[in-house]
Amino acid sequence: MSVLLELKGLDKARELPEPIRLLLAIGLYQVSPYSWDKIAELLDFNPIALKEKLRALGVRLYGLDEEEAKAKLEASRSL
Protein backbone atom coordinates (compact mmCIF):
# COMPACT_ATOMS: atom_id res chain seq x y z
CA MET A 1 0.00 0.00 0.00
CA SER A 2 2.88 2.37 0.65
CA VAL A 3 3.82 2.02 -3.01
CA LEU A 4 0.45 3.49 -3.91
CA LEU A 5 0.99 6.38 -1.55
CA GLU A 6 4.37 7.02 -3.16
CA LEU A 7 2.70 7.03 -6.57
CA LYS A 8 0.19 9.58 -5.24
CA GLY A 9 -2.76 7.51 -6.29
CA LEU A 10 -3.17 5.09 -9.13
CA ASP A 11 -2.91 7.55 -12.00
CA LYS A 12 0.87 7.21 -12.02
CA ALA A 13 0.63 3.44 -11.47
CA ARG A 14 -1.11 3.13 -14.83
CA GLU A 15 2.02 4.57 -16.46
CA LEU A 16 4.26 1.81 -15.09
CA PRO A 17 5.43 -1.01 -17.36
CA GLU A 18 3.11 -4.01 -17.46
CA PRO A 19 5.38 -6.38 -15.47
CA ILE A 20 5.51 -3.85 -12.64
CA ARG A 21 1.73 -3.38 -12.76
CA LEU A 22 1.32 -7.17 -12.58
CA LEU A 23 3.45 -7.29 -9.44
CA LEU A 24 1.49 -4.38 -8.01
CA ALA A 25 -1.78 -6.20 -8.79
CA ILE A 26 -0.60 -9.29 -6.91
CA GLY A 27 0.48 -7.20 -3.93
CA LEU A 28 -2.77 -5.26 -3.87
CA TYR A 29 -4.80 -8.45 -3.88
CA GLN A 30 -2.80 -9.81 -0.95
CA VAL A 31 -3.07 -6.74 1.27
CA SER A 32 -6.23 -4.94 0.21
CA PRO A 33 -9.93 -5.71 0.21
CA TYR A 34 -10.11 -5.18 -3.57
CA SER A 35 -11.33 -7.88 -5.94
CA TRP A 36 -9.35 -8.86 -9.03
CA ASP A 37 -11.87 -6.97 -11.17
CA LYS A 38 -11.40 -3.76 -9.16
CA ILE A 39 -7.62 -4.13 -9.23
CA ALA A 40 -7.75 -4.59 -13.01
CA GLU A 41 -9.80 -1.42 -13.31
CA LEU A 42 -7.46 0.56 -11.04
CA LEU A 43 -4.32 -0.55 -12.89
CA ASP A 44 -5.78 -0.25 -16.39
CA PHE A 45 -5.93 -3.97 -17.22
CA ASN A 46 -8.68 -5.87 -18.96
CA PRO A 47 -10.01 -8.04 -16.07
CA ILE A 48 -10.09 -11.25 -18.09
CA ALA A 49 -6.63 -10.64 -19.55
CA LEU A 50 -5.25 -9.90 -16.07
CA LYS A 51 -6.62 -13.16 -14.66
CA GLU A 52 -5.23 -15.13 -17.62
CA LYS A 53 -1.77 -13.58 -17.20
CA LEU A 54 -1.78 -14.27 -13.48
CA ARG A 55 -2.90 -17.88 -14.00
CA ALA A 56 -0.09 -18.32 -16.53
CA LEU A 57 2.33 -17.09 -13.86
CA GLY A 58 0.91 -19.60 -11.36
CA VAL A 59 -0.70 -16.97 -9.14
CA ARG A 60 -3.51 -18.33 -7.00
CA LEU A 61 -6.53 -16.19 -7.86
CA TYR A 62 -8.81 -17.24 -5.04
CA GLY A 63 -8.44 -18.06 -1.36
CA LEU A 64 -9.20 -21.74 -1.95
CA ASP A 65 -8.32 -24.05 -4.78
CA GLU A 66 -10.97 -26.41 -6.15
CA GLU A 67 -10.07 -29.31 -3.86
CA GLU A 68 -10.05 -27.11 -0.75
CA ALA A 69 -13.41 -25.63 -1.69
CA LYS A 70 -14.91 -29.12 -2.16
CA ALA A 71 -13.52 -30.25 1.20
CA LYS A 72 -14.98 -27.22 2.98
CA LEU A 73 -18.34 -27.77 1.29
CA GLU A 74 -18.42 -31.40 2.36
CA ALA A 75 -17.39 -30.50 5.90
CA SER A 76 -20.17 -27.92 6.13
CA ARG A 77 -22.73 -30.47 4.94
CA SER A 78 -21.78 -32.84 7.75
CA LEU A 79 -22.52 -30.26 10.47
Side-chain angles (χ1 to χ4, degrees):
M1 296 304 279
S2 64
V3 171
L4 295 178
L5 295 174
E6 290 297 319
L7 293 170
K8 294 184 176 86
L10 291 171
D11 292 335
K12 289 186 180 181
R14 293 175 178 195
E15 299 169 11
L16 295 170
E18 184 176 301
I20 302 298
R21 288 186 295 130
L22 282 171
L23 290 173
L24 187 54
I26 294 166
L28 272 174
Y29 187 72
Q30 291 175 342
V31 300
S32 76
Y34 296 134
S35 68
W36 282 117
D37 291 334
K38 183 63 176 176
I39 291 169
E41 176 188 330
L42 293 171
L43 295 176
D44 200 30
F45 281 108
N46 172 297
I48 295 168
L50 175 62
K51 289 176 187 175
E52 288 175 1
K53 288 176 191 227
L54 294 170
R55 277 191 192 107
L57 292 170
V59 174
R60 193 173 181 173
L61 296 178
Y62 304 100
L64 302 174
D65 64 21
E66 187 176 346
E67 290 300 316
E68 291 170 328
K70 285 180 183 177
K72 285 200 177 271
L73 180 61
E74 289 303 315
S76 68
R77 287 181 178 160
S78 66
L79 293 176

